């Protein structure tokens, strides 16, 4: 693949559409920060792979993990078009590291404003995954529990191994899911099914997850990486600017009236036509 051309195309397309150009990336986290967060980051041309890397703890996530994810989101190089999230070892993620509940940093809610800010900061580790400039894929195997399930839900697409099990455990622990997961879950399965899944905190196996639309693809465990690679290749084969504009369109569709969505389609298409046929079109 000619990543230079792809990357260049991506930049031109985004600029030409004149909609929310990507901000200058912040400094990426260094090795020590990534290690403290329990994360690995590999950027290879247009593809970034983030690995949850605490296999001995089933990739249980700490506050540092979520801050690390936010930092990765803020510092992604502009050529990146696809981000894959995966877990090292037997599971995608066992959710919050249960040690966090007894650690000193856990807020007790007595200062609502400070607690609100604290949770909002952690949520930033998830919200960037919806940015239109990138398509995000969760490669899920083993357990995706609580915050791990929500991380998979924060991605645009989920590829599940046939041993994957999803579980929204928070209500069983006296909490609500607060890592951005309730909205995508309801968008995918509807309120009644989301209620049933959350309030029973039951395990959802891969095959059922596929049936419910929680996973787009289910694959044998030993072919997960191959299935993800195939999906990434297909995503990168599509015109970069059209992919950005289309993701932007699709994610706003549920919140728009038909009239608003038609107007949004026209707006995006004007950007595409200008890019393809107008005076300022890309040289690539
Ligand atoms: N936090 C801290 N440590 C964990 C967590 C966790 N969430 N999950 C697993 N570990 C640790 C275990 O304590 C164990 O440590 P040890 O080797 O020192 O005994 C090690 O990881 C391996 O765990 P096992 O339970 O032995 O692994 P197994 O593959 O049999 O089970 C499973 C995996 C199902 C994920 C199980 O560990 C589990 O249920 N974990 C707790 C899940 C949970 O309740 N998460 C919170 C959800 S709510 C939220 O995320 C906000």
């Amino acid at each position: 693949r000619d990543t230079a051309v792809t990357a260049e195309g991506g930049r031109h397309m985004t600029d030409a559409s004149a909609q929310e150009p990507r901000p200058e990336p912040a400094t990426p986290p260094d090795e020590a920060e990534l290690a403290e967060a329990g994360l690995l980051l590999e950027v290879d041309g247009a593809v970034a792979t983030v690995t949850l890397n605490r296999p001995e703890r089933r990739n249980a996530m700490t506050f540092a993990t979520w801050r690390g994810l936010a930092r990765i989101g803020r510092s992604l190089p502009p050529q990146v078009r696809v981000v894959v999230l995966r877990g090292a070892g037997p599971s995608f993620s066992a959710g919050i590291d249960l040690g966090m509940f007894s650690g000193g940093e856990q807020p007790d809610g007595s200062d609502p404003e400070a607690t609100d800010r604290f949770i909002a900061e952690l949520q930033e580790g998830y919200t960037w995954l919806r940015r239109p400039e990138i398509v995000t894929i969760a490669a899920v195997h083993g357990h995706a529990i609580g915050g791990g399930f929500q991380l998979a839900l924060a991605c645009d697409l989920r590829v599940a191994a046939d041993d994957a099990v999803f579980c929204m455990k928070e209500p069983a622990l006296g909490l609500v899911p607060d890592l951005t997961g309730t909205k995508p879950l309801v968008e995918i399965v509807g309120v009644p099914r989301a209620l049933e899944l959350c309030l029973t905190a039951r395990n959802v196996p891969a095959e059922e997850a596929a049936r419910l639309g929680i996973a787009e693809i289910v694959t044998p465990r030993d072919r997960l990486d191959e299935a993800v690679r195939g999906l990434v290749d297909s995503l990168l084969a599509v015109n970069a600017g059209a992919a950005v504009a289309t993701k932007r369109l699709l994610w706003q569709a549920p919140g728009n009236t038909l009239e608003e969505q038609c107007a949004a389609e026209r707006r995006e298409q004007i950007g595409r036509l200008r890019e393809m046929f107008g005076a300022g079109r890309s040289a690539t």
Side-chain angles (χ1 to χ4, degrees):
R1 179 190 329 290
D2 189 344
T3 47
V5 169
T6 312
E8 193 64 12
R11 265 198 296 281
H12 282 149
M13 306 274 181
T14 308
D15 291 345
S17 69
Q19 300 199 28
E20 298 173 38
R22 199 169 185 162
E24 279 300 304
T27 321
D30 61 26
E31 287 302 317
E33 287 169 272
L34 287 170
E36 196 209 336
L39 297 170
L40 295 174
L41 171 65
E42 189 198 347
V43 178
D44 180 9
V47 184
T49 302
V50 180
T51 303
L52 305 170
N53 191 36
R54 296 178 76 211
E56 71 291 352
R57 286 269 167 268
R58 301 299 180 264
N59 302 324
M61 295 182 283
T62 64
F63 300 137
T65 309
W66 294 319
R67 291 185 187 119
L69 286 171
R71 188 83 191 276
I72 289 172
R74 279 195 294 272
S75 60
L76 267 188
Q79 78 271 14
V80 170
R81 290 182 56 195
V82 177
V83 177
V84 176
L85 267 113
R86 58 189 292 280
S91 279
F92 179 71
S93 172
I96 191 170
D97 187 316
L98 296 168
M100 292 294 104
F101 291 132
S102 47
E105 223 192 325
Q106 172 68 45
D108 64 6
S110 56
D111 181 340
E113 283 176 19
T115 307
D116 185 88
R117 277 196 303 276
F118 183 88
I119 299 172
E121 190 196 354
L122 303 183
Q123 288 171 332
E124 274 181 47
Y126 287 56
T127 47
W128 65 273
L129 294 159
R130 284 282 186 101
R131 282 206 319 241
E133 294 85 0
I134 50 175
V135 180
T136 52
I137 303 170
V140 181
H141 71 288
H143 288 92
I145 303 180
F149 186 10
Q150 294 187 71
L151 187 60
L153 286 167
C155 292
D156 296 309
L157 302 167
R158 283 149 294 282
V159 182
D162 53 9
D163 71 342
V165 172
F166 300 84
C167 171
M168 201 64 92
K169 188 77 174 281
E170 286 82 348
L173 302 178
L175 299 167
V176 299
D178 67 347
L179 290 166
T180 79
T182 57
K183 187 168 169 61
L185 184 63
V186 165
E187 283 167 349
I188 294 168
V189 302
V191 173
R193 179 62 70 189
L195 236 157
E196 185 262 326
L197 295 182
C198 293
L199 300 195
T200 63
R202 74 174 170 90
N203 286 337
V204 180
E207 176 271 326
E208 183 187 0
R211 206 161 10 93
L212 292 176
I214 289 170
E216 279 66 40
I217 298 171
V218 176
T219 176
R221 170 74 187 89
D222 61 356
R223 298 181 65 182
L224 180 61
D225 291 346
E226 193 186 317
V228 170
R229 259 197 313 275
L231 179 58
V232 169
D233 287 348
S234 302
L235 290 165
L236 291 179
V238 166
N239 178 283
V244 173
T246 305
K247 175 171 170 180
R248 198 159 40 217
L249 259 184
L250 293 177
W251 276 124
Q252 64 181 275
N256 275 350
T257 62
L258 179 59
E259 197 177 37
E260 287 165 343
Q261 188 65 10
C262 287
E265 288 177 0
R266 296 194 297 273
R267 235 177 2 253
E268 291 289 4
Q269 199 69 304
I270 290 166
R272 299 308 314 135
L273 293 170
R274 210 181 269 163
E275 170 66 22
M276 292 171 71
F277 305 113
R281 70 182 176 273
S282 163
T284 56

